[in-house]
Amino acid sequence: MTVESSAARGTRRGGTETGGDAGRTARVAKSPKPAKRATAKAPAKTAAKAPARKASGKAPAKAARAEAPAEPQLVQLLTPDGERVADAEYDPYVADITPEELRGLYRDMVLTRRFDAEATSLQRQGELGLWASLLGQEAAQIGSGRATREDDYVFPTYREHGVAWCRGVDPANLLGMFRGVNHGGWDPNSNNFQLYTIVIGSQTLHATGYAMGITKDGADSAVIAYFGDGASSQGDVNEAFTFSAVYNAPVVFFCQNNQWAISEPTEKQTRVPLYQRASGFGFPGVRVDGNDVLACLAVTKAALARARRGEGPTLVEAFTYRMGAHTTSDDPTRYRSDDERESWEARDPILRLRTHLEAEGHADEAFFASLEEESETLGRRVREAVRAMPDPDPMAMFEHTYADGHALVDEERAEFAAYQASFEDADGGHADVTGKAN
């Protein structure tokens, strides 16, 4: 089932898009500048082909054709060339957007990319234990994040740095967990933004339960849960779909299909486009161009509005691409080609909006130069904040494990305290747990 209009579908059939030659111009830490336009063909990896049949007799040709997946449809409001295209169903959700708000979306994406690049550098320099980059997914996150209201509740995975930015979470607070100095870094209820979830897919159940609670409270807010294409194969996600549909929960499932679940491509996850899975659970699904921030904003607004009206869940598949590694411990060159990445770089989400802003006269060089300076300031601030983070108290690992305490934890705490005390020297000084005096 899809909620895309037939008029919109008619303008976007086929597997090619007109793109910009951004492979040479898109930058990780700086605002992309427009380049000579070219044509980029989208990778034909949206769904796996049906496996060949093995049987003694010939399979009827008509039956084989009937099993082929339906052609995926894509909601798009900005082409890779930055051209605004009409969509009768989703235009109303962005009809009143102003040039200032468009510049704000661009700023959000540029600063999020700059922060992400700084975090990657910090990990490479030994300041962070791990980092999951969002490079290439800025439009999906900023567009959907800006569609939420203050009273909505967000349940992220571990890559939603752009959504965290939209919810007002300080970027430096995101890094405490990856540095190993805290268990999250922010109060979820202060921003209605849950802590990052490392367990794949479990947050969809949490989101569904919270949404069911909202219904019982009679509130008109909504919930949005983020997950990736790989997580869509998890039992937790499918159970969340079942419960949300049966209980008509006001939740939006936002799947960022970045084409790779670590080293497994999407066709190893599903035989049909991911958004079509929703129909099997009894609620609508829609595929949106995940590199089009305006389309992501409109589609998410529509899904959240539907949830608030009491019409139940929606699955949004943001069709995008992870241009970097899965995490800093991953080497994507071992499982995917440079040509594949280059074809997606031609549809860089930041370059796309910049091209549109310049073509419409909504931004000038002064704006871009000022934003470049702001992004560098953000990078320096994040670096300084990370390096200034104090080491945690070693005994803190025993706190908040159980709400009312636990005999085994108490025993382990006492043993660890005695172990630390054994390093005290004769002068009453202290040593750390390695035995080195401090």
Side-chain angles (χ1 to χ4, degrees):
M1 181 183 298
T2 176
V3 298
E4 188 180 13
S5 64
S6 58
R9 289 196 296 267
T11 64
R12 287 187 291 279
R13 293 189 180 275
T16 60
E17 292 178 340
T18 302
D21 184 9
R24 295 186 295 274
T25 59
R27 302 178 183 178
V28 171
K30 297 183 181 295
S31 310
K33 295 181 179 179
K36 188 181 295 183
R37 293 183 174 88
T39 299
K41 182 173 288 187
K45 290 179 31 174
T46 58
K49 296 180 180 178
R53 292 185 175 216
K54 293 183 179 179
S56 57
K58 292 183 178 180
K62 290 184 178 180
R65 285 196 296 271
E67 290 182 3
E71 180 184 359
Q73 306 300 331
L74 189 73
V75 177
Q76 185 180 89
L77 300 182
L78 282 180
T79 70
D81 276 336
E83 180 185 355
R84 179 72 164 87
V85 291
D87 188 299
E89 185 165 358
Y90 291 104
D91 279 345
Y93 293 95
V94 291
D96 59 350
I97 194 166
T98 65
E100 181 180 5
E101 289 171 329
L102 286 173
R103 289 192 296 271
L105 293 172
Y106 182 82
R107 174 180 177 271
D108 288 338
M109 290 195 291
V110 168
L111 294 182
T112 298
R113 180 172 290 189
R114 181 63 182 88
F115 157 68
D116 181 69
E118 192 66 39
T120 299
S121 296
L122 286 166
Q123 193 282 329
R124 297 305 190 200
Q125 295 163 11
E127 300 290 350
L128 302 178
L130 187 73
W131 183 247
S133 173
L134 59 57
L135 182 61
Q137 299 178 221
E138 294 88 356
Q141 294 194 16
I142 296 301
S144 61
R146 288 302 180 196
T148 61
R149 291 192 329 205
E150 186 176 353
D151 60 332
D152 293 335
Y153 214 104
V154 178
F155 288 81
T157 58
Y158 47 77
R159 202 188 301 274
E160 274 68 61
H161 320 315
V163 185
W165 172 269
C166 294
R167 300 301 294 184
V169 177
D170 189 328
N173 287 343
L174 293 175
L175 301 180
M177 180 181 69
F178 293 96
R179 190 171 171 84
V181 301
N182 61 44
H183 300 297
W186 64 90
D187 177 5
N189 293 324
S190 65
N191 306 81
N192 280 14
F193 185 79
Q194 255 298 330
L195 299 178
Y196 275 3
T197 306
I198 305 300
V199 179
I200 305 299
S202 64
Q203 74 279 2
T204 58
L205 284 172
H206 307 155
T208 299
Y210 194 93
M212 290 166 63
I214 286 177
T215 301
K216 290 182 178 295
D217 291 342
D220 71 341
S221 54
V223 175
I224 183 168
Y226 290 86
F227 58 99
D229 47 295
S232 69
S233 297
Q234 292 286 341
D236 285 4
V237 175
N238 290 270
E239 290 163 9
F241 287 176
T242 297
F243 270 85
S244 64
V246 171
Y247 288 94
N248 211 44
V251 57
V252 174
F253 296 106
F254 195 92
C255 175
Q256 293 176 83
N257 180 2
N258 64 21
Q259 312 301 308
W260 290 95
I262 307 183
S263 59
E264 287 295 309
T266 307
E267 61 259 30
K268 296 287 184 71
Q269 302 286 327
T270 179
R271 290 184 60 183
V272 298
L274 293 178
Y275 77 96
Q276 292 183 4
R277 286 182 170 181
S279 62
F281 293 90
F283 57 88
V286 56
R287 172 179 276 190
V288 61
D289 185 341
N291 287 18
D292 176 355
V293 68
L294 201 60
C296 289
L297 175 67
V299 167
T300 310
K301 276 188 173 183
L304 289 168
R306 180 177 180 277
R308 293 189 190 100
R309 292 193 301 267
E311 297 176 21
T314 302
L315 172 61
V316 176
E317 178 194 357
F319 194 74
T320 181
Y321 191 75
R322 167 171 55 81
M323 290 200 287
H326 174 71
T327 68
T328 46
S329 65
D330 173 42
D331 179 8
T333 64
R334 294 172 65 94
Y335 54 81
R336 68 185 191 191
S337 68
D338 290 339
D339 290 343
E340 178 181 295
R341 175 185 165 121
E342 288 172 3
S343 71
W344 279 92
E345 284 179 338
R347 287 172 284 168
D348 181 280
I350 299 181
L351 175 65
R352 182 181 306 199
L353 184 54
R354 174 167 181 155
T355 302
H356 177 73
L357 289 171
E358 292 183 326
E360 297 296 321
H362 293 331
D364 55 19
E365 284 303 319
F367 166 76
F368 296 117
S370 175
L371 182 55
E372 192 67 50
E373 183 178 346
E374 184 182 4
S375 70
E376 291 303 315
T377 300
L378 174 64
R380 289 193 297 270
R381 180 174 74 81
V382 168
R383 175 173 292 272
E384 292 168 359
V386 166
R387 289 179 167 174
M389 288 179 180
D391 292 335
D393 177 5
M395 299 300 294
M397 74 176 82
F398 300 101
E399 302 299 328
H400 311 299
T401 305
Y402 290 92
D404 299 321
H406 192 280
L408 180 58
V409 174
D410 293 341
E411 180 183 342
E412 291 172 342
R413 180 191 292 109
E415 290 179 356
F416 188 71
Y419 174 72
Q420 285 188 296
S422 69
F423 292 105
E424 294 183 4
D425 59 29
D427 296 329
H430 246 77
D432 62 23
V433 293
T434 65
K436 183 179 178 180
N438 56 21

